[in-house]
């Protein structure tokens, strides 16, 4: 009996180890916007194993609420490609989604919002867990870029890249609630957990702009220097810090959300764009837009530890093995 128990324990340990190894080797996805495909990267050896065709100009990607599908937004293809985030196989393609440049689910998972970058609109869809139904199309200013949705799932905040504005859209009515001027070329938008403050990356400037959105009308209260071409945010995973890529400065800045101060900086060559933080928070991955590479940065040593060749104009990056959002 003792031998049998020991054998069972060894089998169980081996199975658990195998399961853990499989979880650690789930693919990394990098969108190659000008190649109309996705690089599938094996994190075990940091090599590109294949490329998956998508629609024209995929720019951003987002996970479905059940984590069973990774959605790629094909802006010039007017479509969404659903990919299995574990196997990197295409599950389905949803067509007739006009100009989905950026995309986001509301926290309550009832709404799905896309920013029409070239068509100057924001589309609000109802999501039933598997299907999308257009609830309303909202005409906006020029070049809607990035989206943030508040924790109550009531408001989508969208930056207007070529109008230098931030627009608030009421999700239930699909109406513009307010708009406010920003600094040059606003890009990504990130909200604090209390929904009182938004920070906006100014790609045409050298930092972020802070807005108080706790009242009926927004107020610009501060600008913080991070680096030229401040662009895309990603949560650090500790519920306190957020990273932002500075595309022109070739750096990534770490911001303390409690004080809104820059507390660290990291080198990120090649025009850093979208960021992913690996589970545990010790590694950053960033797409080097002008260098056709995925760059990996050690957050403890603050050094680039590897670069992986990918396709033309790499933009979004994602993996299931990410730090908490």
């Amino acid at each position: 009996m003792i031998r049998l128990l020991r054998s069972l324990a060894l089998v169980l340990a081996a199975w658990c180890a195998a399961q853990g190894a499989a979880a650690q080797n789930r693919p990394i996805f990098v969108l190659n916007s000008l190649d109309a495909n996705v690089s599938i990267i094996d994190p075990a050896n940091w090599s590109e194993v294949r490329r998956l065709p998508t629609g024209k100009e995929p720019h951003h990607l987002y996970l479905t609420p059940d984590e069973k599908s990774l959605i790629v937004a094909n802006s010039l293809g007017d479509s969404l490609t659903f990919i299995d985030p574990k196997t990197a196989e295409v599950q389905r393609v949803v067509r007739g989604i006009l100009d989905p440049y950026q995309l986001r689910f509301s926290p309550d998972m009832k709404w799905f919002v896309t920013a029409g970058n070239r068509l100057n609109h924001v589309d609000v869809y109802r999501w039933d867990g598997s299907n999308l139904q257009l609830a309303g199309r909202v005409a906006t200013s020029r070049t809607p870029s990035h989206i943030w949705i508040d924790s109550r799932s009531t408001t989508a905040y969208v930056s207007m890249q070529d109008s230098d504005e931030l627009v608030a859209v009421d999700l239930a009515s699909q109406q513009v609630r307010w708009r406010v001027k920003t600094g040059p070329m606003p890009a990504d938008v990130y909200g604090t957990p209390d929904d009182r403050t938004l920070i906006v990356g100014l790609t045409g400037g050298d930092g972020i702009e802070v807005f108080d959105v706790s009242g009926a009308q927004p107020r610009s209260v501060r600008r913080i220097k991070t680096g030229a071409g401040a662009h895309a945010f990603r949560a650090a995973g500790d519920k306190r810090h957020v990273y932002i890529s500075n595309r022109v400065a070739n750096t990534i800045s770490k911001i303390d959300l409690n004080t809104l101060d820059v507390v660290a900086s990291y080198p990120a060559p090649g025009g850093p764009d979208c960021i992913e933080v690996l589970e545990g928070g010790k590694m950053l991955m960033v797409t080097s837009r002008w260098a056709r590479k995925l760059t990996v940065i050690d957050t403890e040593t603050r050094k680039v530890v590897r670069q992986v060749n990918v396709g033309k104009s790499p933009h979004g990056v994602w993996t299931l093995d990410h730090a908490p959002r």
Side-chain angles (χ1 to χ4, degrees), residues 102-121:
Q102 228 261 356
L103 67 169
R104 182 173 287 273
F105 281 101
S106 62
D108 66 5
M109 309 310 176
K110 294 181 179 179
W111 305 103
F112 179 77
V113 182
T114 62
N117 192 256
R118 75 181 191 277
L119 297 181
N120 299 332
H121 69 234

Side-chain angles (χ1 to χ4, degrees), residues 160-177:
M160 301 292 135
Q161 179 179 311
D162 292 326
S163 295
D164 296 342
E165 289 181 306
L166 181 66
V167 173
V169 176
D170 182 84
L171 293 177
S173 67
Q174 299 94 55
Q175 299 293 318
V176 173
R177 182 175 293 170

Side-chain angles (χ1 to χ4, degrees), residues 180-242:
V180 64
K181 295 299 287 186
T182 69
M185 290 185 67
D188 208 0
V189 184
Y190 192 93
T192 54
D194 60 8
D195 290 326
R196 297 180 64 87
T197 304
L198 291 178
I199 52 178
V200 179
L202 301 177
T203 304
D206 62 358
I208 64 175
E209 188 165 6
V210 182
F211 288 89
D212 181 341
V213 294
S214 61
Q217 293 296 318
R219 293 186 303 112
S220 176
V221 295
R222 185 179 172 189
R223 288 196 187 182
I224 303 166
K225 187 173 181 178
T226 60
H231 190 70
F233 294 106
R234 179 64 84 197
D238 59 2
K239 297 183 179 181
R240 177 166 179 172
H241 297 92
V242 65

Side-chain angles (χ1 to χ4, degrees), residues 62-67 104-112 125-132 149-153 171:
Y62 209 85
L63 202 64
T64 53
D66 58 10
E67 295 196 343
R104 182 173 287 273
F105 281 101
S106 62
D108 66 5
M109 309 310 176
K110 294 181 179 179
W111 305 103
F112 179 77
Y125 293 87
R126 291 186 176 89
W127 170 259
D128 65 5
S130 60
N131 298 302
L132 297 170
I149 300 177
D150 70 331
S151 65
R152 297 170 298 164
S153 301
L171 293 177

Side-chain angles (χ1 to χ4, degrees), residues 20-71:
Q24 291 300 316
N25 291 333
R26 292 186 292 193
I28 296 165
F29 300 84
V30 176
L31 301 188
N32 301 311
S33 295
L34 295 185
D35 281 337
N37 58 34
V38 179
S39 289
I40 310 302
I41 296 171
D42 183 352
N45 55 19
W46 292 99
S47 65
E48 181 188 55
V49 294
R50 61 189 173 96
R51 293 189 185 178
L52 193 67
T54 63
K56 292 181 180 179
E57 286 208 19
H59 284 285
H60 294 96
L61 66 174
Y62 209 85
L63 202 64
T64 53
D66 58 10
E67 295 196 343
K68 292 181 179 180
S69 298
L70 187 64
I71 304 178

Side-chain angles (χ1 to χ4, degrees), residues 301-314:
T301 64
R302 303 188 188 184
K303 293 181 178 180
V304 173
V305 293
R306 62 177 51 86
Q307 289 188 301
V308 182
N309 293 327
V310 290
K312 295 178 184 177
S313 193

